[in-house]
Amino acid sequence: MTTNPQRASRPHDAVVVELLKADPDFANEYLAAALEEAGEPGGQTALLAALRHVAEAQGEPPRLLRRLFFLRGLSYEEVEQVLT
């Protein structure tokens, strides 16, 4: 019997940001898909996560994202949940 060593896993967010950095055109497709699904259950949370991923891939500081989300009417708890 052979055993398979466990592969090191990487967080989903880190992988998505890496993909967005490698292919900037992917950001347009990614955001378009997130916008299409924004009206579905859980879609707004997914859209906010997509915005965070794209901003992080483009090197935007978290402080700027917090201001953007607050301007959109999110509470402090909602902003922190999206950014973490």
Side-chain angles (χ1 to χ4, degrees):
M1 177 176 174
T2 60
T3 60
N4 292 331
Q6 286 186 335
R7 294 183 185 197
S9 64
R10 297 184 326 188
H12 176 265
D13 291 338
V15 173
V16 172
V17 170
E18 187 177 301
L19 289 170
L20 291 166
K21 284 180 182 179
D23 184 3
D25 290 334
F26 175 55
N28 293 332
E29 297 171 29
Y30 184 56
L31 288 175
L35 281 169
E36 280 183 28
E37 297 176 6
E40 300 294 323
Q44 289 185 347
T45 301
L47 175 59
L48 292 173
L51 289 169
R52 178 175 49 87
H53 292 146
V54 170
E56 188 175 334
Q58 294 180 357
E60 297 297 334
R63 182 178 50 162
L64 180 62
L65 287 173
R66 281 185 177 84
R67 290 186 65 199
L68 172 66
F69 291 150
F70 282 129
L71 289 174
R72 298 294 300 158
L74 294 177
S75 70
Y76 178 82
E77 291 80 16
E78 291 170 315
V79 171
E80 289 306 308
Q81 184 178 19
V82 169
L83 293 178
T84 57

